[in-house]
Amino acid sequence: MIRTSLPTRFLPFFSNASQRNEGRRLRTGLLVVAAAVLAVLLANTTQAQDKNMKKMLMQLQEMNQADGYLEAHRDVENPPELLGGPLSFAVEQNSGGVLVGLPDQRELDSDVFGTPEMPLAFTGTPGVTGVPVPFREVENGQFTQLDRPTPFGNKSTAMPSGSMMLKAQDVTATDAATTEDQVKFKASWEDKQGNTYAVRCCEMLSAAGPEFPTFGGVVTNHLLHGFSGVGTPLMPTEYTYAAFWGMGAVLKNGEVVDKPRVVHGMLTEYVRTEGYELASDSEVTPTRKHFHLMVAPFMPVKGEHKFEHNNVSTGFQLPNGKELPFWHVMFENLNIESQRGE
Amino acid sequence: MSLLWPTRIGRLAPQFLGSAGLLVLWMGALATPAVAQTSEEPAVTIGMTNTLSFTKDTVRVEVGETVRWENSSVIVHTVTADSEEATMEESMRLPEGAAPFHSGNLAPDETFEYTFETPGRYRYFCVPHEAAMRATVIVEPAGKG
Ligand SMILES: [Cu+2]
């Protein structure tokens, strides 16, 4: 029961091994009195640790670096337009497969995360805008990898019959209370058994981001992720030709299985390397593009400018029998069109 | 008669007949489709995988021999050694005098064949996965084996 003192929203990504071990230790301790006393002591320590961790994570959320910027923008009723006017674009994949990201521990790039002595990118909701230092593994004075799996790593699986269609307009330049941006998005793919998975967006666009800027819901020709402070630093810093954030739906075999969900899509330079490993900043390929679809295991907290952990119901079973708690899907056979104007 | 140019062959019969028919027209010959379909058995077959790789990193063939690529994955790939398609210098290399080749998009189960007429080292890649998916064919003068 010790674990429950830390609400799930403060256990970002997935539970980690050390918490499971503590539960086991407690059960064994109940067998003899001496062990029971030990267990009580242990429980107290763990409770104190959990309390400290909870406090630290709340502090990290509160000291999110984009708060001031967003505060200045989120109530603007007449936001400015893009320099040069609106941009319209379409991105399509008509056939072929997709590559689906699986839970993995992200290698930590020192360009993005600094060093244990001089850490970077640790504020905000863990996984959404920052990665707390205690979640990072250290070897020889350097961060090596995250101590828990996330949607951002080297593991993936190919799935057949992938198609996607994005038609969008970037009109509004900055975050604001309203937006003129527009997005029509649908994507689908299949598993080996012939089940169809799909994501649709957007019934609503993120006119202003809760924790990082979303530029009216659609952004074009911008740097995202990595050191940029826009989106998770667990993805490398990547030039993004177009991206959107909005509320959409997750479907399996034509039925909605999760709604509303934050859906994020982006057309970027190529950030995978040999073996489809996720690139570090120095490994990005600027001359190739791919499209990423992300339905992350996070939801915005109503009335507060932060996110909380919340697994996606995907209906897709992992080899270990658990449900994949997010969709991170890459489309790489693309037709792209764009033009100035609406 | 060997095919001295790249061919893209679908597994589906109608598609295959279609390309064979075109081939006959193009040659302006009155040969039956059976003639156009006659192709030397490929000296080697290379798969293209779901993990974005060619199944054989380096293969050796002789001049006049044919290599077949089979898209054994669910992902669309290409077989390309054409500077028009390349965006990175390291992704391809052709021996002096060798013609570029490019399969175009190969859907799952589609195949592509190329008969090598110029000896040397060919480095080729897959267009959408250029950053990750590259391999080599070494073509030796005929009659060595
Ligand atoms: Cu490929």
Side-chain angles (χ1 to χ4, degrees), chain A residues 95-99 158-161 270 272-276 285 287-289 332-333, chain B residues 50-52 74-77 85-88 105 108 125 127-133:
Chain A
S95 61
V98 295
L99 290 141
M159 290 174 73
S161 308
Y270 202 80
R272 295 278 172 171
T273 63
E274 232 166 279
Y276 212 63
T285 300
T287 53
R288 288 280 167 206
K289 297 181 181 75
E332 310 202 332
N333 301 103
Chain B
N50 280 332
T51 50
L52 309 194
V74 302
I75 306 285
V76 172
H77 294 295
E85 300 290 338
T87 68
M88 303 157 88
N105 281 348
F125 65 101
V127 169
H129 312 122
E130 185 179 3
M133 194 167 167

Side-chain angles (χ1 to χ4, degrees), chain A residues 56-74:
Chain A
M56 184 197 72
L57 294 176
M58 282 179 78
Q59 279 172 342
L60 287 177
Q61 280 186 313
E62 274 160 26
M63 65 192 284
N64 178 35
Q65 286 186 289
D67 281 349
Y69 176 87
L70 293 169
E71 199 184 310
H73 290 80
R74 65 167 60 98

